[in-house]
Structures are given as structure tokens and as C-alpha cells.
Amino acid sequence: MKRYVPILISVFGATLAATAGAQDQGKLSGLIFGDFYQVFGHNDPAIEDLNGFWVRRVYLTYDKNIAEKFKARVRFEANSAGDFSSSSKLDPFLKDLYIAYVGDNYTATLGLQPTPTFNNVEDFHGYRYIEKTPLDLYKMADSRDQGISIAGKFPGDGKTSYMLMIGNDSGTGSETNKGKAFYIRLGHWFTDEIYVEGNADFRDKPGSEEVDDAERIRRLQGREGQCRPRLCKSAAGQHERRGY
């Protein structure tokens, strides 16, 4: 039996960033990245040899210092489905919409904002435009939630940081139940090169919607008859591009 090996090669990548406006008037910035892709081999003949240009993600962000210790952000995002079949448009949606109070050793934030789970890991990773971090790839939590948070550093040498957040557990969407999500992050710089961080979260969902992290991983690994999007082994399955 002939066996095809799925290959996806990105031969072109582009990143563009721009800022405009003085800081007291706010800052407008943009980010876009994409590729030209070619699938040289695949177990599905309909996908083999597909190629094209792909705009993976677009950001449009406005930051504003609205008072001495208050700042605000509005960010729109648009991205591609990346599954070789969807022909949906790059429809923008709100990614961030929050106001923050910046104290001496802490920042309190209210609104649609990053959760404690991803932001430090992605900053350290530094290659989000190429691939997701494992926490994001396995959907351990949403990258955004609507709620209130406080983040800062403990007094002393400033090497130990924390973040606490209470959110809707609805991502960028609206609240649909009375439960909430509770997030906590604690990190410490042992040296200039060694940083250790721990994350935990608790979600109060209706019984029919409760899924723990072990269950999420089992589903992604295909133990319930479902193939993982990027590692589907079924000859009849549809291989997906990376879900950036």
C-alpha cells in the first residue's frame, strides 16, 4: 500500500509593525504575518500539491495613557482557519479591551484581557508567529477572558512575580452561565537565565460542560477515535495546517 507523508513547508514569512502618534495622544500599532505554503505530499489526494499565500494573523492595536496611572488598550485581531477547506473571510474581532491602573509594584486590570496562563510563556518562547506554545496547542486555557486581575512583584529584589485573575471563562465571547474562572500564576527568577513559573486555574462550570486537563489531552491524542488536527493518521482524515 502506498503511503503518503504530509509535508508543509513555509517558504515565505513576513512581519510588519508600525506605530504612529505621540505617547500622550495614544499609540496605534499594527502587526501582520503570513506565508506562501506548498504541500508536497499527503495521504489525501485532494490536499496534495495545494499551495497558496496565507495571511495567518493580523493585529490592530491602540494604546492610550488616559491619566497619570491609568492606561487603556483596544486590539482587533483577524486570522485564518488554516484547515485547507475553509473559505471564510478575515473577519476582525475584539482581542483586548481593558483599562488598567498601574501602581508602584502592581497593575490592576479590568476588561477583556490576557489570562495568566500564556503571556509570560509566549514572551519567553518568542516564536509565537511560527508555532503555538504547548499550553496553547493543547488548549489548557483561553488566551483571553473578561474579568479583573492584579499582577505585580513581591517586595525585595523583585525576582518573584504573581498574577491573580477572576474571569467569565468565556474567552472573547459573552458569559453564558453563572460560573466563573479563577487563575493564578507564580514565577521566580533564580538567575538571569533560569526562570520557573507555575500556573493553576479553577473553572466553575455546569456538570455537562466540565472537562479537566487530562481529558483535553486524551481528546487531542485521539483516544476517543478523534485524530489530532496536526497528526491525523487516518487515510481518510483531513490534515490541517498549523492552527497559528
Side-chain angles (χ1 to χ4, degrees):
M1 185 173 99
K2 189 173 183 179
R3 189 174 183 181
Y4 291 93
V5 178
I7 301 174
L8 175 63
I9 294 182
S10 172
V11 297
F12 172 78
T15 302
L16 173 66
T19 61
Q23 188 62 38
D24 57 347
Q25 296 178 351
K27 182 176 71 172
L28 181 65
S29 61
L31 174 68
I32 179 173
F33 48 86
D35 323 90
F36 175 81
Y37 67 89
Q38 170 73 50
V39 181
F40 290 98
H42 201 280
N43 61 309
D44 186 347
I47 297 177
E48 188 174 0
D49 294 328
L50 284 180
N51 62 82
F53 294 95
W54 180 26
V55 176
R56 287 193 264 136
R57 178 159 298 195
V58 179
Y59 282 159
L60 181 62
T61 307
Y62 181 73
D63 292 295
K64 171 72 173 177
N65 291 329
I66 56 179
E68 182 179 354
K69 291 190 175 184
F70 286 89
K71 64 180 182 179
R73 163 171 285 190
V74 179
R75 168 174 285 175
F76 288 92
E77 177 184 335
N79 54 62
S80 302
D83 58 8
F84 290 120
S85 61
S86 300
S87 59
S88 58
K89 298 179 180 179
L90 290 170
D91 294 324
F93 63 93
L94 271 174
K95 182 79 169 183
D96 293 313
L97 180 62
Y98 62 78
I99 184 172
Y101 175 82
V102 183
D104 293 335
N105 294 309
Y106 69 93
T107 300
T109 306
L110 175 65
L112 176 60
Q113 59 184 288
T115 62
T117 312
F118 291 161
N119 47 4
N120 269 6
V121 174
E122 287 190 350
D123 288 345
F124 181 81
H125 174 56
Y127 292 96
R128 178 62 180 80
Y129 58 94
I130 296 177
E131 179 61 288
K132 293 181 176 181
T133 63
L135 289 172
D136 193 2
L137 182 64
Y138 285 96
K139 300 300 180 186
M140 294 302 182
D142 285 317
S143 66
R144 297 297 190 275
D145 202 359
Q146 299 179 61
I148 185 169
S149 70
I150 182 169
K153 297 180 179 180
F154 289 107
D157 56 14
K159 292 185 177 181
T160 304
S161 61
Y162 67 90
M163 183 173 180
L164 304 171
M165 181 176 178
I166 301 175
N168 288 337
D169 194 23
S170 58
T172 57
S174 301
E175 173 69 287
T176 57
N177 57 60
K178 62 183 179 181
K180 292 292 178 287
F182 303 87
Y183 309 84
I184 182 172
R185 183 187 72 219
L186 187 65
H188 182 77
W189 285 97
F190 289 92
T191 70
D192 292 339
E193 292 80 25
I194 300 177
Y195 174 75
V196 176
E197 177 179 295
N199 286 277
D201 57 80
F202 171 78
R203 296 175 174 83
D204 181 17
K205 283 183 172 292
S208 60
E209 298 180 16
E210 288 185 353
V211 179
D212 60 22
D213 288 341
E215 178 67 15
R216 291 189 184 96
I217 294 175
R218 282 195 295 270
R219 290 182 180 182
L220 288 165
Q221 290 176 333
R223 295 179 183 177
E224 294 186 350
Q226 302 173 357
C227 63
R228 290 178 58 184
R230 296 180 57 217
L231 301 175
C232 183
K233 297 181 180 179
S234 170
Q238 177 174 320
H239 180 75
E240 295 184 350
R241 289 197 307 243
R242 302 183 191 186
Y244 298 86

